[in-house]
């Protein structure tokens, strides 16, 4: 039997990493961080347990990469939703709403992510985080930033602060109040983006599992067959 080509091996590695990221979001969202083990993640992903440590130094880094993927794809989805636009104000409004919406809809994942950033390992510079940064920097530029190296970190900081304020146990701030303040800061009209609907001002839920488990499959690339043929078992993009 001839050895696999470099391209096939690369595809197999990509598949494994994708499955681990998706499994992490699913399990931590369902059961919480402490109750989820690396073995659980490997089993859900259908991967050998040794592959987890091959791709990621530990569970905290794996979760940060997974949540950064979730944030990147959620932001990308919001920015490119119909009607498509290049308008800087509209794109910034969509970006703000996308991140606040994640805090509202995925409180367990986002709270755990924020807590992890404050640990000794700090902020993980991973491919997923870098893709998220590219989108946010582009959003700042389109909004008319004169100094993107100053304004991008400020936007990132105020969004992180807003997420923290929504999720702090015992004293969460409502999404409408935070959105109002952020829109005022960036001189955005309330009708821009995705304005909150009725009931959106309620505090995010804190239970790891409430209702049906979230479907994260659309945030992950289609898993193409390793032999390069069409079709296969892929997740939807």
């Amino acid at each position: 039997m001839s050895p696999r080509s470099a391209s096939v091996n690369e595809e197999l590695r990509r598949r494994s990493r994708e499955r681990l990221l998706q499994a992490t979001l699913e399990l931590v969202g369902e059961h919480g961080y402490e109750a989820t083990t690396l073995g659980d993640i490997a089993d859900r992903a259908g991967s050998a347990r040794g592959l987890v440590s091959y791709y990621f130094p530990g569970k905290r880094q794996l979760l940060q990469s997974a949540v950064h993927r979730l944030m990147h794809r959620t932001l990308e989805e919001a920015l490119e939703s119909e009607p498509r636009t290049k308008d800087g104000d509209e794109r910034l409004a969509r970006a703000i709403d996308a991140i606040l919406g994640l805090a509202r809809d995925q409180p367990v994942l986002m709270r755990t992510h924020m807590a992890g950033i404050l640990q000794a390992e700090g902020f993980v510079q991973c491919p997923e985080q870098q893709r998220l940064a590219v989108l946010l920097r582009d959003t700042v530029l389109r909004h008319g930033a004169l100094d993107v190296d100053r304004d991008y970190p400020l936007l990132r900081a105020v969004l992180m602060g807003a997420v923290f304020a929504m999720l702090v146990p015992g004293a969460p701030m409502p999404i409408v109040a935070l959105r109002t303040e952020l829109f005022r800061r960036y001189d955005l009209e309330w009708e821009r983006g995705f304005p909150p609907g009725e009931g959106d001002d309620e505090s995010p839920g804190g239970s790891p599992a409430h209702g049906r488990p979230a479907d994260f499959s659309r945030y992950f690339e289609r898993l193409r067959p390793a032999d390069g043929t069409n079709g296969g078992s892929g997740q939807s993009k």
Side-chain angles (χ1 to χ4, degrees), residues 11-100:
E11 176 66 9
L12 292 173
R13 286 192 291 269
R14 187 188 68 80
R15 288 188 189 189
S16 295
R17 194 173 186 278
E18 289 282 299
R19 292 192 180 107
L20 290 171
L21 291 170
Q22 183 173 343
T24 300
L25 293 178
E26 293 172 351
L27 287 169
V28 174
E30 292 168 14
H31 306 295
Y33 180 77
E34 296 299 333
T36 299
T37 68
L38 290 176
D40 295 333
I41 293 169
D43 291 345
R44 173 69 67 91
S47 299
R49 299 192 181 193
L51 282 179
V52 181
S53 56
Y54 175 80
Y55 291 115
F56 303 96
K59 186 169 72 168
R60 184 68 66 182
Q61 292 84 354
L62 171 54
L63 177 65
Q64 279 204 42
S65 291
V67 174
H68 281 140
R69 166 64 69 87
L70 175 61
M71 294 172 70
H72 163 240
R73 286 297 176 85
T74 299
L75 179 58
E76 183 178 60
E77 196 173 73
L79 292 174
E80 300 307 320
S81 63
E82 297 294 341
R84 303 279 293 273
T85 181
K86 296 181 179 180
D87 181 83
D89 283 359
E90 175 63 22
R91 291 177 72 86
L92 180 57
R94 291 182 183 187
I96 291 171
D97 285 339
I99 301 304
L100 294 183

Side-chain angles (χ1 to χ4, degrees), residues 195-211:
E198 185 177 352
D200 281 350
D201 210 16
E202 299 175 0
S203 299
S207 172
H210 50 281

Side-chain angles (χ1 to χ4, degrees), residues 87-230:
D87 181 83
D89 283 359
E90 175 63 22
R91 291 177 72 86
L92 180 57
R94 291 182 183 187
I96 291 171
D97 285 339
I99 301 304
L100 294 183
L102 270 180
R104 177 197 61 212
D105 298 336
Q106 300 296 334
V108 173
L109 285 170
M110 295 302 288
R111 186 180 293 121
T112 308
H113 175 64
M114 296 298 292
I117 290 174
L118 298 177
Q119 301 295 315
E121 296 90 346
F123 199 69
V124 173
Q125 299 289 334
C126 60
E128 284 73 25
Q129 184 274 326
Q130 292 165 1
R131 295 186 186 104
L132 174 62
V134 167
L135 279 183
L136 283 176
R137 285 177 66 91
D138 179 71
T139 300
V140 169
L141 277 171
R142 290 174 185 265
H143 187 247
L146 298 178
D147 185 351
V148 68
D149 291 328
R150 177 199 65 191
D151 294 339
Y152 157 66
L154 283 173
L155 174 62
R156 184 181 64 194
V158 296
L159 288 175
M160 290 174 67
V163 169
F164 178 86
M166 285 182 66
L167 299 177
V168 61
M173 285 193 67
I175 189 172
V176 169
L178 289 165
R179 186 182 195 266
T180 299
E181 183 59 31
L182 288 170
F183 272 45
R184 182 182 297 120
R185 177 187 182 95
Y186 289 103
D187 196 24
L188 301 172
E189 298 172 355
W190 180 261
E191 294 74 20
R192 295 277 191 172
F194 312 108
E198 185 177 352
D200 281 350
D201 210 16
E202 299 175 0
S203 299
S207 172
H210 50 281
R212 296 176 59 189
D215 180 8
F216 297 111
S217 61
R218 73 180 188 276
Y219 297 119
F220 292 85
E221 295 180 12
R222 184 179 300 278
L223 299 182
R224 300 185 300 275
D227 61 4
T229 61
N230 293 324

